[in-house]
Amino acid sequence: MTSMAPTRAPAHAQTQKQTLAQKLIARASGRERVSVGEIVTCGVDLAMFHDSSGPRRLKPMLEELGAQIWDRSRVVLVMDHYVPERDDDSRRIVRIARDWARDQQLPHVYDSQGICHVVVPQHGHIRPGMLCVGGDSHSPTGGAFGAYMFGIGSTEMLGVMVTGEIWLRVPETIRMWWDGALPAGVTAKDMMLHMIGRFGMNGGRYQAVEFAGPAVVALSMQERMTLSNMSAELGAQAGLIAPDATTAEFLAGAGAPPVDMAPWFTDEGAALSDHRFDASTLEPYVAAPHSPANAHGVSRYVGTPVDVAYIGACTGAKLDDLRAAAQVLRGHKVASGIRLIVAPASIRDQEAAREEGVLQVLMDAGAELFPTACGACSGYGDPMGDDVTVISTTARNFKGRMGSPSAQVYLGSPYTVAAAALRGCVTDPREVLA
């Protein structure tokens, strides 16, 4: 696996050529073009938040200001963090969200339908050319659709709710160009863990990261979403992928109105930092406790015993992810004493997996089906237990992230997690798929 030194366009080209990030921000700010480092005010096309980040924080602040929501049609609320309600505290949080949504007559509310970063695009809300904000750190997922989307805190969201605008500093673009084709059993999750392991969790420097090249173009829409989602772990503000026919097909299936995707690409010669990789040489990757940046090829960890295999979260339990796990587990049983937990990312993906027989394969292998919600990834629900070793498809493995601070959490792709469930230890999934 190689990465070439960053390259930059000549200075004279910087005033003419625009990156995808610059084009998206220019449109949102009503400008022909913008320059890196400029501070601009942008109109927001979509504001998304969930039961944890939204009403329980925004409602009292809006009431204190005596302010109203600027445009309800541009607001999406998803109940995904504290559902299903397990205690009085979660019931209170979810009740606030439901009551507020009813009182505000919000037209776009998804209650217990799955994780926001999967549900919102599945309903066609995120489209090329948009500028969107989300009340969650994994909001850069929207960048997979050629939209500029990033996460913000509650105070910033209050400003958006009242004005419909947000300011930002035009970022540099760091392009991750992937040549070649991914081998069987290697996924976007492995690409991401490799990049995070190489550049670290601050490698994106809160700039715009753009994923491009033949290996990226070949990815399914859901795999692209994994890249953009985990640009948060790379430290980027946004994780962008230029829209194409794959994007259009997904959005048509989501019922989104037709969108002109032609303008949304990085101009040849635009100023950016360029890193190049060869997908054909990539092996499955695993991140060891307690950081996604502690990532290396699976061969380093092969044989590490595990107690729990968790297939869940917005970055690891979409339909494509469930299919990958089923490919490993079809006709097999998980190892004795191993707990395999499957928490699909959305009701829509869960039902599609059921119709395809994918869900039955996982259940036949010994999987426990958990609710379609953020669940263990957000530290909610049943903790994994003390002193257990977990291998998970989630995006983060910080100490205490999945409950007990004594739990050791490894990260991998659905192939890798399913292979570990099958063998009872970290396993190269290509051995099982061969």
Side-chain angles (χ1 to χ4, degrees):
M1 179 59 53
T2 58
S3 174
M4 297 175 61
T7 57
R8 292 184 180 277
H12 67 82
Q14 297 183 21
T15 57
Q16 301 297 324
K17 307 297 186 180
Q18 297 272 285
T19 65
L20 172 56
Q22 287 174 290
K23 290 181 178 183
L24 291 168
I25 293 169
R27 186 211 67 82
S29 60
R31 304 265 296 276
E32 286 265 338
R33 56 175 45 86
V34 292
S35 300
V36 170
E38 277 190 283
I39 294 175
V40 296
T41 299
C42 296
V44 173
D45 296 300
L46 181 82
M48 180 276 295
F49 40 78
H50 48 62
D51 47 341
S52 181
S53 67
R56 66 170 172 157
R57 305 183 194 281
L58 293 171
K59 180 177 181 287
M61 292 192 289
L62 284 166
E63 289 174 349
E64 186 175 349
L65 289 175
Q68 301 295 317
I69 298 174
W70 101 101
D71 186 344
R72 288 171 176 79
S73 70
R74 296 177 185 267
V75 174
V76 181
L77 169 62
V78 183
M79 270 70 106
D80 62 358
H81 273 57
Y82 287 95
V83 292
E85 306 95 299
R86 294 174 180 267
D87 52 35
D88 288 343
D89 195 43
S90 61
R91 279 187 282 274
R92 178 186 62 82
I93 292 167
V94 174
R95 185 175 64 251
I96 290 170
R98 288 170 177 157
D99 290 349
W100 190 73
R102 185 190 63 247
D103 293 344
Q104 295 295 320
Q105 298 182 311
L106 296 183
H108 307 303
V109 180
Y110 300 98
D111 190 339
S112 306
Q113 293 299 300
I115 303 169
C116 58
H117 311 298
V118 179
V119 171
V120 174
Q122 281 184 338
H123 285 84
H125 291 291
I126 302 173
R127 302 180 293 278
M130 295 175 71
L131 187 135
C132 312
V133 296
D136 189 277
S137 60
H138 283 117
S139 296
T141 306
F145 297 88
Y148 200 93
M149 188 166 186
F150 56 102
I152 60 176
S154 297
T155 304
E156 288 176 298
M157 187 62 80
L158 173 66
V160 171
M161 284 291 98
V162 175
T163 68
E165 296 181 335
I166 193 168
W167 67 267
L168 55 80
R169 179 183 181 274
V170 180
E172 301 172 30
T173 291
I174 304 169
R175 187 167 65 180
M176 303 298 188
W177 183 280
W178 285 83
D179 286 307
L182 290 174
V186 183
T187 71
K189 182 66 167 290
D190 301 301
M191 296 167 74
M192 226 33 247
L193 290 177
H194 172 76
M195 287 183 279
I196 298 166
R198 176 178 174 81
F199 297 107
M201 292 196 69
N202 292 316
R205 299 184 287 108
Y206 204 59
Q207 304 303 308
V209 169
E210 182 178 345
F211 304 102
V216 173
V217 172
L219 294 175
S220 70
M221 201 65 235
Q222 290 196 334
E223 282 282 84
R224 296 179 187 191
M225 289 165 67
T226 295
L227 286 185
S228 295
N229 179 294
M230 289 190 68
S231 62
E233 278 67 48
L234 195 58
Q237 181 183 57
L240 304 174
I241 299 174
D244 59 12
T246 299
T247 320
E249 183 180 359
F250 182 96
L251 290 173
V259 177
D260 181 10
M261 294 186 287
W264 308 118
F265 63 93
T266 288
D267 293 330
E268 187 72 31
L272 47 76
S273 298
D274 208 15
H275 300 279
R276 300 184 81 96
F277 307 88
D278 182 356
S280 66
T281 65
L282 185 67
E283 67 175 306
Y285 256 64
V286 168
H290 291 285
S291 170
N294 191 16
H296 302 277
V298 66
S299 54
R300 176 174 292 204
Y301 303 109
V302 164
T304 303
V306 301
D307 303 297
V308 180
Y310 184 83
I311 296 172
C314 49
T315 192
K318 301 182 289 297
L319 180 58
D320 283 357
D321 302 314
L322 301 177
R323 288 169 173 162
Q327 193 176 339
V328 171
L329 292 167
R330 188 178 302 276
H332 300 290
K333 293 285 188 181
V334 302
S336 177
I338 302 300
R339 190 179 183 198
L340 172 61
I341 298 171
V342 176
S346 75
I347 293 291
R348 184 171 292 185
D349 280 351
Q350 177 175 295
E351 291 311 306
R354 192 186 305 279
E355 290 173 12
E356 291 182 12
V358 165
L359 204 59
Q360 193 61 51
V361 169
L362 301 177
M363 302 298 285
D364 288 346
E368 303 173 45
L369 188 62
F370 267 42
T372 303
C374 292
C377 182
S378 61
Y380 178 68
D382 296 324
M384 294 293 122
D386 295 329
D387 303 315
V388 298
T389 299
V390 182
I391 185 163
S392 172
T393 62
T394 54
R396 292 173 183 163
N397 59 340
F398 305 142
K399 186 184 285 286
R401 176 77 182 180
M402 298 181 79
S404 172
S406 67
Q408 302 289 305
V409 181
Y410 290 78
L411 303 177
S413 76
Y415 284 119
T416 303
V417 173
L422 195 60
R423 296 276 181 87
C425 60
V426 176
T427 299
D428 186 331
R430 295 173 299 181
E431 296 177 6
V432 180
L433 292 167

